Every structure is written in structure tokens, then in C-alpha cells.
Amino acid sequence: MSKQFQQDNLIGQSNALLEVLEHVSKVAPLSKPVLIIGERGTGKELIAERLHYLSARWDQSFIKLNCSSLSENLLESELFGHESGAFTGAKGKHEGRFERADGGTLFLDELANTSGLIQEKLLRVIEYGEFERVGGSKTVQSDVRLICAANEDLPALADNGEFRADLLDRLAFDVITLPPLRSRTEDIMPLAEHFAVSMARQLGLEYFGGFGAIAKEQLMMHDWPGNIRELKNVVERSVYREGSEGQEIDHIILDPFASPYRPKTRVKTLERQLQPKDAPVATETTDDTPQQVSLTHSSIEFPIDFKEYTENAEIDLLQRALAEGQYNQKKTADLLGLSYHQLRGILKKYNLLDKS
Ligand SMILES: Nc1ncnc2c1ncn2[C@@H]1O[C@H](COP(=O)(O)OP(=O)(O)O)[C@@H](O)[C@H]1O
Ligand SMILES: [Mg+2]
């Protein structure tokens, strides 16, 4: 059985990513378990595939399973299989992922919240390379290389007794930690171009017209909590909504829910601004007093560059307001309590005028 080597789709030139790829090449040939840690959307699955295809098992199966989406019983029988009649509805014998991955690689995604029972069975199969199917007593052997992924701090979970420390030790022969997109901003534009070009191709456009100044600024300034998966969605959405033959993308639709008609939700817990205890209290506040919304980041690591910091905050505010005002400058000015001319002055200062 031969599998297509499909790794040329890994985009990025940042040092952080290159270091990860070097690490991957080094650990791939070993048949040892590897743990991949990273926020959602950082490319854990892609890295697991790369580990497999760079290993001596590359021409054997690469089997994956997401552990967070199944109940304990289903997960157990998906992993280890079951004998016929093992439980109600168990029709016929079922081969588990460990059997199907024999000789190859098994990728277990989102492992952090698996139950004690599953963790115990995993420990045994790693230790002895054998297990029993659910409802069976025959011992099955399997030679599997395990790659696991989690987006949580497993050592902290182990310290709290929520994850078996002995299992963690076995799984973590080596650990690859994927950097979030916001800490490798050099990769944003190459990734965005890549996703835009393939979306344009899907839409049957002859070529992709590129991103305009505002769109680039938006892409670079966004925090990307959903990382590369979020970037992919955002870019594809923008190309499909805004892109036409040879036309630049003027702005990016970061939030598909953004609309002046979006229903407002009551925020239950207002973050209160804490006052130092010994500060003189100027006015009495009651629970009904509207709380001031703080825009500043709660944990600033000084020293910072004050000018750069405040400029970035202004650009961020402008972009949010522009999006909320649907890129209408009059509406945007109203949203910010500025006059139209004041807004235009500020947009000009940040080079955001030409395209808004
Ligand atoms: N370096 C990269 N180059 C190109 N696409 C990437 C890269 N990293 C991740 N992706 C894409 O981003 C999406 C999320 O990646 P995935 O591996 O599923 O993330 P995770 O498993 O960490 O949630 C997938 O569509 C994947 O193909
Ligand atoms: Mg994943």
C-alpha cells in the first residue's frame, strides 16, 4: 500500500515554525510516542501526518481518532475494538483503531479529557503492546506508533490528578509545541495568500487579485485566537464574498456575525474595575452604576513602547469601528464620537484612508 506524500502544503517561514519542522524531522524516524501540544488550529494534525510520512512507517496506515467527541464506551470500542455481542447493539466483531493501525501510526487527538479507564488501557497497550477487545478475553497484539495531541497543559492536569502522570511520562518521549499564529506573524501573509489563491481557484477565478492595504493591516493586527484554521476561514470567506476577477480584496470579514442588526445579548458579569483600597472614593457607586469598559490589556509586560502601543490600540479601534460601520466613514465616525473630518484625519495618519 502506498500513500501519497502530501506534505508540500505546509506553509510558513518564521523561525518558530522552522524550528518545529527541524524538531519533527529529528524525532520522526524513531518509533517512540510523541506528544503535540498547541492551541486549536495551530496545525497539530498536519504535524502528526508529517511525523508519520517522515518515518519508516510511511507506507503503512496512518489512523486518527478524536478522543473528545466520543463517550467513554464508544471511545473504548473505537480504540480497542469489540467482540460481537459485547454490548447492546454491538453487531459482529469490530476492529479497533489499534488493530487497524498495526505497523503504522495512530494519532489520538484531544486526549486531555479521556477518562481514567481509557487512560489505564492506553498505559497497558503502550507498556506491553497488547490489549483485549471489549467483551473479549483473547489478547490482541499491535505494533503501533502513538502520536497524541492536546491543547491543554497536560503536566498541570497531571499535577491536579486529572491526567495520569505515568501515562503522560510514556506518551511524552518527546513533546512538540506548536507556536500560536500571533507569535509568528511573518507567516500570516504567506498563509493568507495561499488560502486565497486556492479559494480563487475553487471559485473558478482566473487569478487572485491580492489584498489591499486595509485588508493586509487587518490580517496583521488580528489576534487569531483560532489560529490557522481561523485565518483559513476568514480568508476564504473574504475571497468568496468580495473577490471578483482580478479585483483586490479591500477588507477582511473577520466576524461573519458582524451586523448592525445583530441581536444584543445581556452580559451577565460585568468586569469591574478594581480600585485600590486606599484610593479616595470620589463618588458613591451603587450596583446600578454603569461600569467603565476598560480597553487596556489587563496584563501588560513592561517595558513597552508607549507610542507604538497606543498607535496599535488606535488602529485596532478604528478597524473594529470600520467593520461595525460597514466601512461607511460617516457611520464609523458616529460610532467613535468623532466628526467625519476628524475620522478622516486619523485614518489618513494611519494610511487607512485610501481603501475605506
Ligand atoms: N503551516 C500550515 N500551512 C498550511 N496550512 C496549515 C498549516 N498549519 C495548519 N494548516 C491548516 O489549518 C487547519 C487547522 O490545522 P489542524 O492541523 O487541523 O490544527 P489543530 O489540529 O491544531 O486544531 C487545517 O486546515 C490545516 O490544513
Ligand atoms: Mg485538530
Side-chain angles (χ1 to χ4, degrees):
M1 177 174 55
S2 87
K3 279 239 167 101
Q4 204 194 335
F5 196 81
Q6 29 159 260
Q7 284 298 329
D8 49 355
N9 55 355
L10 232 157
I11 311 288
Q13 304 138 358
S14 62
N15 281 334
L17 182 69
L18 295 180
E19 274 170 28
V20 165
L21 296 183
E22 216 177 285
H23 192 173
V24 167
S25 309
K26 219 171 182 172
V27 74
L30 307 179
S31 247
K32 302 265 192 194
V34 177
L35 194 55
I36 305 173
I37 304 284
E39 291 180 14
R40 67 194 152 104
T42 45
K44 294 186 290 297
E45 192 166 328
L46 227 55
I47 291 296
E49 280 175 22
R50 172 168 274 228
L51 281 166
H52 172 71
Y53 289 113
L54 291 179
S55 80
R57 297 167 180 258
W58 66 273
D59 59 347
Q60 301 291 314
S61 331
F62 175 75
I63 304 280
K64 43 192 174 183
L65 184 65
N66 186 320
C67 299
S68 73
S69 56
L70 300 171
S71 69
E72 181 183 66
N73 289 340
L74 266 178
L75 180 58
E76 189 187 10
S77 86
E78 278 307 308
L79 284 170
F80 306 104
H82 61 73
E83 301 291 352
S84 79
F87 47 84
T88 325
K91 293 193 201 92
K93 193 183 87 176
H94 174 73
E95 269 198 350
R97 299 290 210 278
F98 270 98
E99 273 171 87
R100 286 166 48 197
D102 191 20
T105 305
L106 177 59
F107 173 51
L108 300 182
D109 202 358
E110 302 201 40
L111 187 75
N113 300 310
T114 45
S115 69
L117 169 90
I118 299 286
Q119 290 182 28
E120 200 183 313
K121 286 194 88 161
L122 282 174
L123 187 64
R124 253 199 68 208
V125 74
I126 294 172
E127 195 86 318
Y128 304 109
E130 56 183 42
F131 57 91
E132 284 95 44
R133 298 192 192 102
V134 178
S137 52
K138 199 176 121 220
T139 300
V140 182
Q141 302 216 320
S142 174
D143 162 33
V144 164
R145 192 225 192 142
L146 259 188
I147 299 176
C148 298
N151 50 24
E152 286 180 61
D153 186 356
L154 288 177
L157 292 182
D159 285 344
N160 290 339
E162 290 165 55
F163 196 89
R164 283 186 78 124
D166 47 3
L167 177 60
L168 185 57
D169 286 343
R170 303 263 188 338
L171 292 178
F173 167 76
D174 207 353
V175 180
I176 293 172
T177 306
L178 292 187
L181 190 53
R182 66 186 158 284
S183 57
R184 43 171 160 143
T185 47
E186 310 95 290
D187 290 344
I188 293 177
M189 288 317 296
L191 280 162
E193 297 273 347
H194 168 77
F195 294 134
V197 166
S198 58
M199 189 62 189
R201 199 175 300 135
Q202 273 183 56
L203 291 171
L205 301 178
E206 208 155 297
Y207 66 98
F208 166 61
F211 295 105
I214 292 189
K216 280 185 189 158
E217 187 84 33
Q218 283 181 290
L219 289 168
M220 291 304 291
M221 294 295 299
H222 188 57
D223 214 31
W224 302 113
N227 292 292
I228 300 167
R229 182 175 299 111
E230 182 188 6
L231 176 68
K232 184 167 187 269
N233 275 336
V234 159
V235 166
E236 289 180 348
R237 182 189 310 125
S238 302
V239 172
Y240 126 82
R241 280 210 206 164
E242 313 277 313
S244 48
E245 203 65 72
Q247 184 74 42
E248 257 188 6
I249 303 286
D250 287 339
H251 70 271
I252 297 292
I253 306 147
L254 284 169
D255 178 5
F257 291 99
S259 159
Y261 310 113
R262 178 178 182 172
K264 300 265 182 283
T265 313
R266 285 168 156 270
V267 179
K268 287 207 184 101
T269 48
L270 274 176
E271 227 179 274
R272 287 161 169 272
Q273 287 208 309
L274 294 176
Q275 283 189 316
K277 283 207 181 83
D278 51 357
V281 179
T283 49
E284 258 197 33
T285 52
T286 68
D287 279 353
D288 298 325
T289 314
Q291 300 293 319
Q292 204 182 331
V293 177
S294 167
L295 265 176
T296 47
H297 204 276
S298 52
S299 57
I300 299 173
E301 274 192 33
F302 293 109
I304 58 162
D305 181 327
F306 176 78
K307 228 173 140 254
E308 189 188 309
Y309 188 91
T310 47
E311 282 182 359
N312 284 339
E314 283 191 25
I315 292 172
D316 184 50
L317 251 181
L318 288 168
Q319 286 173 338
R320 287 178 201 223
L322 279 166
E324 177 83 19
Q326 297 180 315
Y327 297 86
N328 175 312
Q329 291 182 4
K330 178 76 185 66
K331 272 194 212 161
T332 305
D334 287 345
L335 290 172
L336 292 168
L338 296 170
S339 74
Y340 175 73
H341 290 289
Q342 282 173 327
L343 174 70
R344 293 201 38 104
I346 299 170
L347 289 175
K348 192 164 170 212
K349 173 176 155 194
Y350 291 120
N351 236 334
L352 293 172
L353 196 53
D354 48 338
K355 291 281 160 42
S356 62

